[in-house]
Amino acid sequence: MYHYWGFGLLIASEIEFPELLPFDADKFDVMIITGKTPARIEGLQIEGNLFTFNISNKKLLFKVKDIASYYATNGHSITVEINERVNEMRSVRLYLLATVMAAVLLQRKLLPLHASAILQTGGLCLITGDSGAGKSTAVAGLLKKGYTIFSDDVIVLAINKDTVSAAASYPMMKLWEDTLTKLDDALFSNRDFEIKPGLNKYGIFFHEQFDTSQYPVKKMIILQKAADGQLTSRQITGAAIFKEMIGQIYRPILLQDPDLKVLVFQLFSNLMQTVEVYEIKRPEICNPEDLIRHIENLMQHA
């Protein structure tokens, strides 16, 4: 059995996860085993060409064609039935660390947010945005300039008394080949870890710098592509903050339980009281250094 820390949780697993942080503990929050999963469970069923979801209160049955079937229950148990034709485990782990862990977190009343985070004095600056808006390039560029990366792609929000704290997911950045080429730095020279066979995307690890503490969110920067070709920014206030945060929930398809919608409202209402939110619009063709400089100015803005 392998022991890890990830997503703010202690995890025991029969499957090895190089993406997660090895961590010794006596008790564990989540157990991952291999075995048979149910053919179906009661609840909402959503079927697609590649994925099938069965979602009920505290249960998820998630099937990925030709890869695996995953059964997550009560926020602490995951059973993985691996397709007999699978000859590599990266795809199996990829879906578990994404959709399945999102379900586990929601079952535990924790909210996964689609955002990267930079650790600054006193808290976190989240960087998020539409696919292709330059989030990964920006975060990697900030790391190259000496900033401390807290988490890439996903953070985990929880209410701690009257405040909202955030935990990191795991110590790996996922960067496309063209991003690595543009960065042109020894920090990102390793192409040994393909995220998924045939996918031109690679994992860059930062296990030694990984921080398992939880921090408050102080700022949030949302990246969007602009139609007019200008690089601009503005602060968002009021109800617009809530709308933007809703758009960054990770795997929103899993939010079927009314209690979870109440949780989202509570979390975001609390965040609205303390977080500064900025929107950056960038042109389709944008110099990465210009974008990073723009983000830096907002991060340093008091």
Side-chain angles (χ1 to χ4, degrees):
M1 190 70 74
Y2 301 96
H3 298 165
Y4 300 107
W5 189 102
F7 302 90
L9 303 172
L10 295 170
I11 301 169
S13 174
E14 291 183 352
I15 298 173
E16 185 176 10
F17 283 87
E19 300 91 344
L20 296 175
L21 181 74
F23 203 96
D24 289 329
D26 296 325
K27 296 181 179 180
F28 295 90
D29 304 304
V30 179
M31 180 75 69
I32 302 171
I33 63 170
T34 57
K36 294 288 292 182
T37 60
R40 183 169 178 172
I41 61 173
E42 292 185 3
L44 176 69
Q45 179 160 332
I46 304 170
E47 294 192 25
N49 292 330
L50 296 177
F51 308 113
T52 299
F53 294 85
N54 266 187
I55 307 168
S56 68
N57 185 27
K58 299 290 187 180
K59 293 181 181 179
L60 170 72
L61 179 62
F62 176 55
K63 298 181 180 181
V64 183
K65 184 179 179 181
D66 298 329
I67 300 295
S69 174
Y70 306 87
Y71 184 47
T73 61
N74 299 311
H76 61 72
S77 175
I78 300 172
T79 302
V80 185
E81 184 175 352
I82 302 167
N83 188 292
E84 60 184 13
R85 292 189 295 273
V86 168
N87 55 18
E88 51 80 28
M89 289 297 292
R90 291 190 184 183
S91 296
V92 174
R93 299 195 308 267
L94 177 68
Y95 292 108
L96 196 153
L97 291 174
T99 301
V100 181
M101 278 306 304
V104 167
L105 293 166
L106 289 169
Q107 290 168 5
R108 300 179 70 93
K109 297 295 189 286
L110 302 169
L111 182 66
L113 200 68
H114 196 186
S116 297
I118 298 295
L119 181 59
Q120 296 184 283
T121 302
L124 301 172
C125 176
L126 307 188
I127 300 175
T128 187
D130 300 336
S131 178
K135 176 173 63 73
S136 295
T137 301
V139 172
L142 290 167
L143 178 61
K144 181 179 173 180
K145 296 188 75 169
Y147 287 86
T148 301
I149 184 170
F150 181 70
S151 189
D152 182 53
D153 199 40
V154 177
I155 66 159
V156 182
L157 298 179
I159 294 178
N160 184 7
K161 295 183 179 178
D162 293 329
T163 63
V164 177
S165 60
S169 53
Y170 50 90
M172 185 181 78
M173 300 180 68
K174 291 179 279 189
L175 298 172
W176 292 100
E177 171 69 33
D178 62 339
T179 299
L180 294 170
T181 301
K182 288 176 186 175
L183 290 165
D184 189 26
D185 191 278
L187 281 171
F188 312 107
S189 61
N190 195 316
R191 309 288 204 280
D192 291 344
F193 194 88
E194 279 187 306
I195 298 298
K196 183 181 177 183
L199 189 68
N200 208 18
K201 198 172 191 179
Y202 300 89
I204 305 296
F205 294 108
F206 55 100
H207 285 72
E208 293 181 1
Q209 293 79 36
F210 192 56
D211 192 335
T212 59
S213 301
Q214 297 189 17
Y215 295 95
V217 178
K218 293 298 185 182
K219 291 186 179 180
M220 183 173 179
I221 297 173
I222 302 165
L223 304 181
Q224 295 182 346
K225 289 184 179 180
D228 59 7
Q230 298 294 315
L231 182 59
T232 61
S233 63
R234 67 184 180 101
Q235 186 169 1
I236 299 174
T237 58
I241 294 178
F242 197 92
K243 179 181 178 182
E244 292 293 348
M245 288 181 175
I246 288 288
Q248 305 308 325
I249 295 173
Y250 192 71
R251 299 297 190 264
I253 192 174
L254 301 172
L255 286 173
Q256 302 297 329
D257 185 342
D259 288 345
L260 291 177
K261 296 174 183 178
V262 172
L263 172 70
V264 169
F265 181 81
Q266 291 174 334
L267 279 165
F268 289 171
S269 295
N270 285 4
L271 274 180
M272 284 173 61
Q273 308 304 315
T274 57
V275 68
E276 293 179 18
V277 181
Y278 297 91
E279 176 191 75
I280 293 180
K281 289 191 174 181
R282 47 145 290 191
E284 187 73 29
I285 299 175
C286 180
N287 184 333
E289 291 300 321
D290 292 339
L291 178 61
I292 293 165
R293 195 178 307 113
H294 215 78
I295 293 172
E296 259 193 301
N297 289 337
L298 294 179
M299 289 173 60
Q300 294 168 1
H301 184 268

